[in-house]
Structures are given as C-alpha cells and as structure tokens.
Amino acid sequence: MSIRDSDCAEEADASAEEDAAEEEDSGEPSEEESEEEGQEEEKKGRKLFGKKNKKDKKDEKIEELTDRLTRQMAEFDNFRKRTDKEKSQMYEIGAKDIINKILPVVDNFERGLAAVPEEEKKKPILEGMEKVYKQLMTTLEEIGVKPIEAVGQEFNPDFHNAVMHVEDEELGENIIAEEFQKGYTYRDSVVRHSMVKVAN
C-alpha cells in the first residue's frame, strides 16, 4: 500500500469516528432503542387502559349493595302502603258492622218518640228520651254517619230500595212518595239503603 492510500484510509476512519461522536452528542436514540421505548410505552398504555375499564371489586360490591338496598326500600314502601290500605279497609268494615247494629236502636227511638201524643211530650221522661236520641244522632254524625234523603227525591238504586209502587199525579215519575225505613251512609258509602215507596 502506498503512503497516499494509507492517508485516505486514516481520513475515512477519522470521519466515521466523528459521525459516531456526533450521534452520541445529539442525544437522539438509535432505531433499536426507539423501538424498545415504543413497546414499553404501549405496554404501559395497555395497563392503564385496562385499569380504567376494569372495575374494582370494592366498587362492584358497593354498587351491588346499593342496588339491593334500593330494591328493598321500594318493596318496604309498597308493603307499608298496602298494609295501610288494608288497615283502613278493615277499620271501615268493622265500623260499618257496629253502625249496622246501632241503627235498629235509632229506629226504635224514632218509632217510640213518633208514637207519643203531642200533649205528653212535655213529660220529663220523654224529654230525657229525646235528649238521648239527639245525643246519639250527633255522635253518629261526628264519626261520619249521615241519613239518606228520600221523600221528594228522585229514586236512585244506589241509595234507595223500592218496595212499593204507587200512581200519584201530584208527583213526578220515579219520585219517592214515602219512606218506610231510613237509610244511612258512612263516609260516602252506603251502610243501609232507604226502604221507600216510588210514585208512577
């Protein structure tokens, strides 16, 4: 090899070393290093992504217990409403039964007072009977018991029970001419229908 050729070879080696030194100084990673870093970042991204999507067992248990509690509260509220309604119905049925047993006593009071002659109504015993009758009717009215209007009213099968029929030109069609037994309502529901005579 000549001197000239050896000088060229030395210059080529020197330039290669300079290029390698420049790459190190620039801080830019090599292709292999950049691929490795990319794979690591992808793995980290997958881990983070997986953690976000996957629920923690504690969170799942909290959701399950919250849902169960909500359902049980709704069931209890429905049970309470149903129980209150049943209690109200049972109370009303019991009250109607008692009222039905008291009404014959009211009927007897009315018949007894109606049978007394006018001149004897001033007697203390009869005045006492009338006061007891009025007190009884006031008490019934306070708990929601009211008499059904009948005479002169139009016949209504929801409130009246027709036991007789009469032709009367002075009264209109289906007008009640006479009441045989007074009917009563309790809280807007019929306890006993009025027993009546209907005209025309």
Side-chain angles (χ1 to χ4, degrees), residues 161-180:
N161 181 21
V163 293
M164 285 184 69
H165 181 266
V166 64
E167 294 292 336
D168 192 338
E169 295 179 358
E170 293 181 1
L171 297 171
E173 191 173 353
N174 285 334
I175 299 298
I176 296 170
E178 190 178 346
E179 182 182 54
F180 301 115

Side-chain angles (χ1 to χ4, degrees), residues 13-134:
D13 289 339
S15 64
E17 285 176 5
E18 285 177 6
D19 289 343
E22 283 178 5
E23 283 182 5
E24 287 178 6
D25 292 341
S26 65
E28 292 180 2
S30 64
E31 289 181 7
E32 290 178 2
E33 288 175 351
S34 62
E35 283 179 11
E36 287 176 4
E37 287 178 4
Q39 288 174 357
E40 286 178 7
E41 286 178 6
E42 189 177 345
K43 286 178 182 177
K44 287 179 181 177
R46 283 179 186 169
K47 286 180 181 178
L48 292 171
F49 187 72
K51 281 183 180 177
K52 285 180 182 176
N53 281 346
K54 189 177 178 183
K55 288 184 179 178
D56 191 9
K57 287 183 178 179
K58 290 180 181 177
D59 293 336
E60 288 179 358
K61 191 68 177 175
I62 289 168
E63 285 183 9
E64 182 187 341
L65 292 172
T66 304
D67 183 59
R68 192 184 300 174
L69 178 63
T70 306
R71 288 174 185 273
Q72 286 181 349
M73 286 175 68
E75 286 176 8
F76 178 74
D77 190 48
N78 290 336
F79 170 76
R80 184 180 55 78
K81 288 178 181 175
R82 188 169 59 250
T83 305
D84 289 344
K85 188 177 179 182
E86 287 174 359
K87 281 181 182 177
S88 178
Q89 288 176 346
M90 287 174 66
Y91 176 81
E92 192 165 329
I93 290 167
K96 281 183 177 180
D97 187 49
I98 293 168
I99 291 164
N100 268 320
K101 289 178 180 178
I102 293 172
L103 289 180
V105 178
V106 175
D107 295 338
N108 288 331
F109 261 112
E110 289 175 347
R111 290 191 196 101
L113 292 171
V116 176
E118 193 66 34
E119 61 273 9
E120 293 186 10
K121 285 186 178 180
K122 296 289 184 180
K123 289 183 178 180
I125 189 169
L126 293 170
E127 287 180 354
M129 280 181 61
E130 193 168 351
K131 285 179 182 178
V132 172
Y133 168 73
K134 285 180 180 178

Side-chain angles (χ1 to χ4, degrees), residues 132-179:
V132 172
Y133 168 73
K134 285 180 180 178
Q135 185 180 7
L136 179 60
M137 295 306 295
T138 303
T139 304
L140 289 172
E141 190 175 349
E142 284 174 358
I143 64 172
V145 179
K146 296 178 181 177
I148 296 171
E149 293 184 13
V151 178
Q153 301 293 318
E154 187 176 355
F155 175 76
N156 184 346
D158 293 333
F159 298 103
H160 309 124
N161 181 21
V163 293
M164 285 184 69
H165 181 266
V166 64
E167 294 292 336
D168 192 338
E169 295 179 358
E170 293 181 1
L171 297 171
E173 191 173 353
N174 285 334
I175 299 298
I176 296 170
E178 190 178 346
E179 182 182 54

